[in-house]
Amino acid sequence: MALDEKREKSASFTPMMIEEDAALRNGSRGLSGQWADAVGVRPRTTERHITVHKRLVLGFAISILALLVVTMIAVLLSVRFEECSTAAAADSPARASGNGSLPGAARLNHDAGEPPGRQEEAPGEEEEWQRRRQPPPWTQLRLPRHLRPLHYNLMLSAFMENFTFCGEVNVQIECLNASRYIVLHAHRVHIEAVQVAEDKLSGAVRVSSFFLYPPNQVFVVVLNRSLEAQRSYNLKIIYSALIENELLGFFRSSYVLHGERRFLGVTQFSPTHARKAFPCFDEPIYKATFKISIKHQATYLSLSNMPVETSVFEEDGWVTDHFSQTPLMSTYYLAWAVCNFTYRETTTKNGVVVRLYARPDAIRRGSGDYALNITRRLIEFYEDYFKVPYSLPKLDLLAVPKHPYAAMENWGLSVFVEQRILLDPSISSISYLLDVTMVIVHELCHQWFGDLVTPVWWEDVWLKEGFAHYFEFVGTDYLYPGWNMEKQRFLTDVLHEVMLLDGLASSHPVSQEVQRATDIDRVFDWIAYKKGAALIRMLANFMGHSVFQMGLQDYLTIHKYGNAARNDLWNTLSEALKKVGKFVNIQEVMDQWTLQMGYPVITIMRNETAGNIIGISQEHFIYDIDAKTTDPDPGSNSYLWQIPLTIAVGNTSHISSEAIIWVSNKSEHHRIAALDETSWLLGNINQTGYFRVNYDVRNWRLLIDQLLRNHEVISVSNRAGLIDDAFNLARAGYLPQNIPLEIIRYLSEEKDFLPWHAASRALYPLDKLLDRTENYNIFNEYILKQVATMYLKLGWPTNNLNRSLVQAAYQHEELRREVIMLACSFGNKHCHQQAATLISDWISSNRNRIPLNVRDVVYCTGVSLMDEDVWEFIWMKFHSTTAVSEKKILLEALTCSDDRNLLNRLLNLSLNSEVVLDQDAIDVIIHVARNPHGRDLAWKFFREKWKILNARYGEALFMNSKLISGVTEFLNTEEELNELKNFIKSYKEGAASSFSRAVETVEANVRWQMLYKEELFQWLRKSLTH
């Protein structure tokens, strides 16, 4: 790392220095292919050839010494890479010409004396395909189907001294249709040699040429004769590459222990990055078995999907670990790591060994114990729920400092960023414990939905991500039954959140066509995860949970170790219903929900003349009504759904049992027997359906009156649902602006967490729309008025929360935290004083007595209210703490400052990887954008640094879209909208769908300001004067 930094800062290079640098990066001597075999590794003798005049000795002594040291280091480091080159020479396969810088395309192989061919395509190949009037197979968006891999034997040597590795992969392939071309994926690897042999007879098949085709990230081997159908062959490729300083492929990370920086190498292959670590058939359908061997220095250990079978130690301090063979699996679930970590372990009742690997100091503190213990319990839970045993002998959980995602579910070796798995009970809040729990539950579900049964193609990525997201709540309910996660928290954290995104005209279906590798990234968004989960929950509720569970068991049993598409799931679930005497075509129902974007709003209207007749209509809900008319293909979807509408009738003292009405037409009429003048209607009971419900104003008034009189007649889930529906219907113009604000007047009597949480989440975007307006104080005063009563009732927590009481205390403590957060955010004076007192006590005593569950609120409030010294104190604590949960909230607190100079300083520091981890920099920028004092600073910083940000995060799923959304979602002026549009015109490359959503969101914000802002303020003024 230090060498790379010096190279970047140096103003000029001599040609020799540049060549030596390239050789070091390549892990070889930098010689061309023809010469590499002939030249052995020998010590450099530069010093014997240097003749220096005596008068220059003193002047150049230091320079010469430095040059000698650098040269000798380069030679020592390059020695290791000769092993791959030597192996290549010994086997004498076809070899590449030229030394080829890394990463980059290998040259075409050719005999000595012949000129090198073009890197993009083999000479003559293009002309042949032109004569056929067909596109060459390597230009197709998917791999050609004439070959399939059966088994990979992959041998790696990892050189952590110079962050390079070399490998030899032997792929047993079956030829399905005759062809003289082998096309597989490879990207940013240096191919050194290729050999093809007939599997059984070991007869070589001569390689005519080979080349990389970068546009499709494929590697092409051209043979002298065709491979024969129904026969097996062995493809051998020797290659080398860098252990990159990024977030994908085989990359490096680091941590500091006892003042020493230590490095580790780890993989992230999903969705299309296995090809950066070894040439392979990198599509989910190409399942194969894998046998991995990793050679590394004995000071490190290596991990992979399977247990180590044998380890071979060498005298020179190196060791080779040979891992057991995997079951059939897709390439993107393969994983390995080379690190100095230590571990703790446990064993499930069925003998699965579970280990958690982390930094030695984290293991010593017991920071991984919580994750380890719940992992054992969760494996046993899933085995019982799915009635399919966990398929591997072990499961390793690896906690790494740097990772692009919260976690990755590699089969048998799941990788987590430290913040999502390490937990120090003495300084972790309930919220943090919940985050860690749900990430682990999610990744373990993937060991069945994803690893064992894999979607055929990326268009159905929701088949694994939707299930894992849904089971986050089911699995957490198993661990903590009193938390009611699936029935309650699912609403605010999944349903309400994704409906915001899916209410945009720029949304997309949960199943969407994917062709190019670059398109794959856009299917990994909250539509796949959260809408997928919401649809699965709706399906489970209308099928019945026991029948749904039985269907999932059949689905996993039928398709284990294979691939499945959505119709496979629908068919299995339909069969499960048949077994209990119900005949529902699940595919017919669910295709409408998965193949068209968005969701409906159901409007229930009472008939004034016939009291018990109601009209039910459905339409596509959308925030910006004008955006409907700009739909490029309005006839492409019918925007009709088959809707399982549950409905109940209530009055002041009780509510009826629910009935279900299947709504499939644009409008329908139904008779509700129990309905009379004094009763009200409630639709979508417990919000199990993926749709919004609107009513005539009279029914809304009756519901508001019920909440004020006796809110407990309506269930907790429906109270939260009414709040969320009302705020969003008003924002989109379906309801008067005062209705949602009237609903939350009852909150002073609300003792349950969920409705408060729903209100807090619904108020947040409204607050951001108003926080820079001149009349903001009117809105602020109204919200404080609603919060004041409950704030006084609940008070502040003490700091003696016993971890054994977490289960019982969860609802109450989360409610208290939510109310304190609202009070401090909207300027409650007592809340501000309490936060300032707690911060001052910490600074003066250097003992942090701030209650765990409100530390984030106190830190943020203190930084916002107090002087620069507090900001510097928090900054110092951020650097000194080793507890990852504490580090996260300290960093976010720094973004709460009112001082624009400090916010600018933090923004600029965020791009320094030595100060702020790469994955955390995005959160810094987004949190500054949420601060009204920093919104324009973050927006300006984003535009100025876009090229850097896009280069760093462009390939990582979620990261760019998260950043773009976070920086732009609360822009709400015409000027900002024009700035956004002009910026997009200037930088057309990448993230097109994210920018499209951003424009629509800001347009909707501007439209709301123009149409509804004054209406809202008029009602607020009137309300506050009465």
Side-chain angles (χ1 to χ4, degrees):
M1 188 64 189
L3 285 172
D4 287 344
E5 286 179 347
K6 287 179 182 176
R7 290 189 199 113
E8 289 170 7
K9 293 175 182 175
S10 179
S12 62
F13 291 104
T14 66
M16 178 177 287
M17 289 169 69
I18 292 172
E19 287 171 10
E20 287 185 353
D21 178 56
L24 185 64
R25 285 172 60 80
N26 288 354
S28 65
R29 292 160 300 190
L31 298 172
S32 65
Q34 301 101 303
W35 289 101
D37 293 335
V39 182
V41 179
R42 53 186 182 274
R44 304 283 178 97
T45 56
T46 307
E47 66 276 14
R48 289 185 291 172
H49 298 286
I50 297 175
T51 305
V52 183
H53 195 279
K54 290 182 179 179
R55 287 175 298 174
L56 299 178
V57 169
L58 289 176
F60 287 101
I62 295 174
S63 301
I64 292 169
L65 183 60
L67 179 63
L68 283 171
V69 170
V70 170
T71 305
M72 292 306 295
I73 289 172
V75 172
L76 289 170
L77 293 181
S78 66
V79 166
R80 282 284 157 200
F81 249 86
E82 291 306 314
E83 295 173 4
C84 286
S85 298
T86 305
D91 290 320
S92 301
R95 300 189 56 77
S97 67
N99 60 338
S101 63
L102 290 174
R107 294 181 183 275
L108 294 168
N109 66 301
H110 58 276
D111 296 328
E114 292 181 354
R118 286 164 52 207
Q119 291 186 18
E120 290 82 9
E121 291 183 8
E125 297 302 325
E126 186 177 354
E127 290 81 356
E128 179 183 334
W129 287 95
Q130 284 176 348
R131 286 195 300 272
R132 296 187 191 183
R133 295 185 178 180
Q134 292 179 332
W138 53 88
T139 63
Q140 297 171 19
L141 300 177
R142 299 277 297 273
L143 291 179
R145 293 289 183 260
H146 62 274
L147 299 173
R148 72 181 181 101
L150 303 175
H151 176 73
Y152 293 81
N153 199 337
L154 177 59
M155 293 165 282
L156 302 167
S157 295
F159 309 112
M160 299 301 293
E161 316 99 315
N162 65 347
F163 307 120
T164 56
F165 70 102
C166 66
E168 177 185 310
V169 60
N170 289 271
V171 192
Q172 183 187 357
I173 53 177
E174 180 184 5
C175 181
L176 303 176
N177 296 296
S179 176
R180 56 185 287 262
Y181 300 97
I182 299 174
V183 183
L184 68 165
H185 289 105
H187 186 46
R188 293 166 68 171
V189 296
H190 177 67
I191 307 294
E192 296 179 3
V194 179
Q195 180 175 292
V196 179
E198 199 163 336
D199 194 42
K200 291 181 179 177
L201 302 176
S202 298
V205 179
R206 181 170 168 76
V207 174
S208 173
S209 62
F210 58 82
F211 58 93
L212 288 167
Y213 184 68
N216 285 352
Q217 301 179 357
V218 294
F219 176 59
V220 183
V221 180
V222 185
L223 303 171
N224 269 19
R225 66 176 176 86
S226 291
L227 300 179
E228 296 177 34
Q230 313 308 316
R231 303 192 80 156
S232 294
Y233 297 85
N234 187 73
L235 169 65
K236 177 178 182 177
I237 301 172
I238 294 170
Y239 66 99
S240 55
L242 298 175
I243 303 173
E244 297 280 6
N245 185 24
E246 54 176 47
L247 295 166
L248 301 166
F250 185 19
F251 67 94
R252 66 183 185 263
S253 182
S254 67
Y255 61 99
V256 176
L257 185 66
H258 308 311
E260 174 195 357
R261 183 161 292 280
R262 297 187 176 187
F263 289 91
L264 61 140
V266 67
T267 59
Q268 171 56 41
F269 290 161
S270 176
T272 57
H273 304 289
R275 63 194 68 174
K276 292 180 179 176
F278 67 107
C280 56
F281 295 80
D282 199 13
E283 292 181 6
I285 195 69
Y286 290 116
K287 287 198 167 188
T289 54
F290 293 81
K291 192 86 167 58
I292 308 291
S293 299
I294 301 176
K295 185 174 184 177
H296 56 85
Q297 290 161 299
T299 51
Y300 290 85
L301 61 87
S302 68
L303 302 169
S304 189
N305 305 78
M306 299 295 286
V308 173
E309 212 168 47
T310 57
S311 294
V312 179
F313 291 85
E314 299 179 10
E315 292 182 0
D316 58 354
W318 286 70
V319 60
T320 302
D321 293 323
H322 300 279
F323 295 88
S324 300
Q325 182 170 304
T326 72
L328 285 170
M329 61 185 290
S330 300
T331 49
Y332 73 96
Y333 282 132
L334 197 68
W336 62 78
V338 179
C339 60
N340 316 88
F341 287 173
T342 53
Y343 68 88
R344 287 190 182 175
E345 75 171 41
T346 186
T347 307
T348 72
K349 63 185 179 185
N350 287 337
V352 178
V353 177
V354 182
R355 288 180 175 177
L356 187 141
Y357 288 83
R359 293 178 281 115
D361 53 326
I363 292 294
R364 190 169 54 253
R365 285 199 309 267
S367 299
D369 291 356
Y370 173 76
L372 188 66
N373 290 329
I374 67 167
T375 297
R376 173 181 52 78
R377 292 178 60 198
L378 286 165
I379 289 174
E380 293 168 356
F381 162 71
Y382 282 128
E383 287 183 324
D384 180 62
Y385 187 99
F386 295 137
K387 296 293 185 272
V388 176
Y390 176 74
S391 305
L392 304 183
K394 63 95 174 176
L395 174 60
D396 294 333
L397 312 176
L398 179 65
V400 297
K402 183 174 81 171
H403 198 263
Y405 317 120
M408 177 62 203
E409 69 271 12
N410 309 307
W411 211 358
L413 177 58
S414 291
V415 181
F416 297 75
V417 70
E418 288 179 336
Q419 291 173 357
R420 299 302 182 135
I421 192 168
L422 299 183
L423 183 146
D424 188 333
S426 65
I427 55 172
S428 297
S429 66
I430 295 176
S431 297
Y432 186 80
L433 178 140
L434 180 60
D435 284 347
V436 167
T437 301
M438 296 186 77
V439 170
I440 294 168
V441 175
H442 179 108
E443 302 310 323
L444 290 182
C445 180
H446 274 313
Q447 303 295 309
W448 283 264
F449 281 92
D451 295 2
L452 183 65
V453 179
T454 310
V456 170
W457 184 237
W458 301 109
E459 64 191 7
D460 282 331
V461 72
W462 70 273
L463 272 181
K464 69 185 189 76
E465 297 301 347
F467 272 103
H469 210 60
Y470 172 67
F471 272 96
E472 283 182 31
F473 297 84
V474 176
T476 305
D477 275 339
Y478 166 75
L479 296 172
Y480 300 104
W483 288 14
N484 291 320
M485 297 296 293
E486 191 270 341
K487 286 184 171 59
Q488 294 187 14
R489 192 68 183 257
F490 186 95
L491 304 184
T492 51
D493 292 12
V494 179
L495 185 67
H496 298 171
E497 188 170 326
V498 74
M499 290 177 102
L500 287 170
L501 184 63
D502 206 22
L504 299 174
S506 54
S507 185
H508 61 80
V510 73
S511 288
Q512 55 177 329
E513 188 177 0
V514 175
Q515 292 185 343
R516 295 182 178 277
T518 51
D519 293 336
I520 291 168
D521 291 356
R522 66 182 169 84
V523 303
F524 281 87
D525 65 2
W526 285 139
I527 298 294
Y529 282 66
K530 292 181 183 280
K531 182 175 180 177
L535 296 180
I536 289 163
R537 179 173 177 265
M538 180 172 72
L539 185 58
N541 275 280
F542 78 68
M543 284 183 66
H545 284 273
S546 59
V547 181
F548 176 72
Q549 181 181 354
M550 182 174 64
L552 295 189
Q553 292 168 357
D554 292 343
Y555 170 78
L556 290 170
T557 301
I558 292 166
H559 298 287
K560 61 184 178 183
Y561 303 112
N563 299 81
R566 60 182 176 274
N567 286 349
D568 296 314
L569 176 65
W570 305 150
N571 292 338
T572 308
L573 294 179
S574 293
E575 288 299 316
L577 281 170
K578 282 182 186 176
K579 291 177 183 177
V580 295
K582 296 180 181 178
F583 298 89
V584 178
N585 186 332
I586 297 293
Q587 181 180 341
E588 185 180 312
V589 174
M590 294 308 295
D591 275 356
Q592 293 178 321
W593 294 95
T594 59
L595 300 182
Q596 61 183 358
M597 73 175 199
Y599 56 88
V601 53
I602 285 278
T603 301
I604 302 174
M605 303 287 287
R606 296 166 69 133
N607 190 317
E608 295 299 327
T609 56
N612 60 355
I613 300 291
I614 61 169
I616 301 174
S617 61
Q618 62 163 300
E619 65 176 299
H620 180 202
F621 176 90
I622 201 161
Y623 284 102
D624 189 349
I625 304 296
D626 297 334
K628 274 188 176 179
T629 60
T630 61
D631 189 335
D633 187 9
S636 60
N637 289 312
S638 64
Y639 290 119
L640 280 176
W641 291 264
Q642 290 192 52
I643 304 168
L645 173 64
T646 48
I647 199 164
V649 178
N651 57 34
T652 53
S653 59
H654 79 281
I655 187 170
S656 70
S657 57
E658 66 184 70
I660 187 167
I661 299 170
W662 281 91
V663 180
S664 55
N665 299 307
K666 200 79 174 173
S667 62
E668 303 178 2
H669 288 86
H670 294 270
R671 185 181 298 277
I672 307 295
L675 193 60
D676 60 35
E677 281 294 311
T678 60
S679 55
W680 40 261
L681 281 162
L682 189 64
N684 196 13
I685 304 305
N686 295 321
Q687 280 208 299
T688 56
Y690 185 70
F691 49 89
R692 297 196 185 280
V693 182
N694 193 10
Y695 309 93
D696 55 76
V697 174
R698 179 168 171 267
N699 199 73
W700 276 113
R701 292 285 175 205
L702 288 167
L703 288 168
I704 291 169
D705 186 58
Q706 181 66 55
L707 290 170
L708 290 168
R709 287 170 181 268
N710 181 7
H711 62 269
E712 291 184 348
V713 171
I714 299 172
S715 72
V716 173
S717 299
N718 273 120
R719 299 199 300 266
L722 283 169
I723 291 168
D724 185 71
D725 275 350
F727 271 97
N728 285 282
L729 288 166
R731 186 177 173 187
Y734 291 88
L735 265 184
Q737 298 302 303
N738 60 297
I739 294 291
L741 293 173
E742 288 190 49
I743 284 178
I744 64 171
R745 285 188 302 164
Y746 96 93
L747 284 175
S748 58
E749 299 299 320
E750 178 60 79
K751 297 173 185 174
D752 280 290
F753 163 68
L754 190 72
W756 275 100
H757 194 47
S760 178
R761 282 178 172 252
L763 285 167
Y764 186 77
L766 184 58
D767 176 64
K768 296 305 171 190
L769 283 173
L770 299 173
D771 64 8
R772 295 181 294 173
T773 62
E774 57 182 307
N775 293 317
Y776 176 68
N777 63 306
I778 302 172
F779 173 73
N780 197 75
E781 185 183 345
Y782 183 83
I783 301 304
L784 278 178
K785 190 176 175 182
Q786 313 313 314
V787 173
T789 303
M790 191 56 66
Y791 175 75
L792 289 172
K793 280 182 185 176
L794 294 171
W796 279 68
T798 58
N799 202 17
N800 58 357
L801 183 65
N802 188 317
R803 186 59 57 194
S804 65
L805 299 178
V806 165
Q807 173 127 359
Y810 164 73
Q811 295 282 355
H812 182 74
E813 289 303 320
E814 285 294 89
L815 170 60
R816 190 193 335 236
R817 181 182 177 280
E818 197 77 53
V819 171
I820 289 172
M821 183 173 65
L822 284 167
C824 277
S825 297
F826 284 96
N828 179 287
K829 289 181 181 178
H830 180 272
C831 196
H832 281 183
Q833 289 168 358
Q834 184 72 6
T837 300
L838 289 166
I839 289 280
S840 298
D841 174 68
W842 184 19
I843 293 172
S844 61
S845 68
N846 204 28
R847 287 186 61 201
N848 191 343
R849 288 185 275 257
I850 301 169
L852 298 178
N853 223 34
V854 292
R855 280 190 177 181
D856 56 342
V857 180
V858 172
Y859 293 173
C860 180
T861 306
V863 166
S864 173
L865 294 174
M866 302 167 81
D867 59 22
E868 186 175 341
D869 289 343
V870 173
W871 194 94
E872 295 291 353
F873 176 80
I874 297 291
W875 177 250
M876 177 192 71
K877 290 297 183 183
F878 165 70
H879 282 285
S880 62
T881 186
T882 56
V884 291
S885 59
E886 187 74 354
K887 213 171 185 71
K888 180 177 185 291
I889 60 173
L890 287 166
L891 181 61
E892 290 178 0
L894 293 166
T895 69
C896 298
S897 176
D898 290 358
D899 188 325
R900 291 168 64 84
N901 291 325
L902 291 175
L903 293 176
N904 257 330
R905 176 181 162 194
L906 185 62
L907 285 169
N908 287 311
L909 285 167
S910 70
L911 292 185
N912 183 340
S913 299
E914 295 297 309
V915 178
V916 177
L917 291 170
D918 288 353
Q919 69 263 16
D920 293 339
I922 286 179
D923 291 328
V924 169
I925 299 167
I926 290 173
H927 278 80
V928 172
R930 290 174 178 171
N931 182 341
H933 301 283
R935 192 164 305 150
D936 62 317
L937 300 178
W939 173 223
K940 183 171 180 284
F941 181 81
F942 170 85
R943 286 174 288 159
E944 290 175 351
K945 304 295 183 184
W946 169 246
K947 285 188 176 179
I948 297 170
L949 294 166
N950 193 39
R952 182 188 281 191
Y953 303 117
E955 280 194 287
L957 305 177
F958 278 119
M959 285 197 159
N960 252 3
S961 59
K962 177 183 175 182
L963 177 62
I964 292 165
S965 171
V967 171
T968 62
E969 65 182 328
F970 299 124
L971 302 177
N972 54 38
T973 67
E974 284 282 0
E975 181 184 357
E976 288 168 338
L977 176 59
N978 290 330
E979 285 173 350
L980 175 60
K981 289 179 176 178
N982 290 333
F983 173 74
I984 294 170
K985 287 178 185 175
S986 303
Y987 294 96
K988 292 180 180 177
E989 74 281 357
S993 59
S994 297
F995 278 124
S996 176
R997 280 197 299 272
V999 169
E1000 186 187 348
T1001 300
V1002 178
E1003 284 176 340
N1005 292 345
V1006 172
R1007 177 176 172 272
W1008 186 91
Q1009 295 267 359
M1010 181 178 65
L1011 295 178
Y1012 305 120
K1013 181 179 71 175
E1014 198 48 46
E1015 177 192 334
L1016 178 74
F1017 280 133
Q1018 283 177 5
W1019 185 87
L1020 286 170
R1021 287 189 195 99
K1022 185 179 177 182
S1023 174
L1024 289 169
T1025 55
H1026 283 77

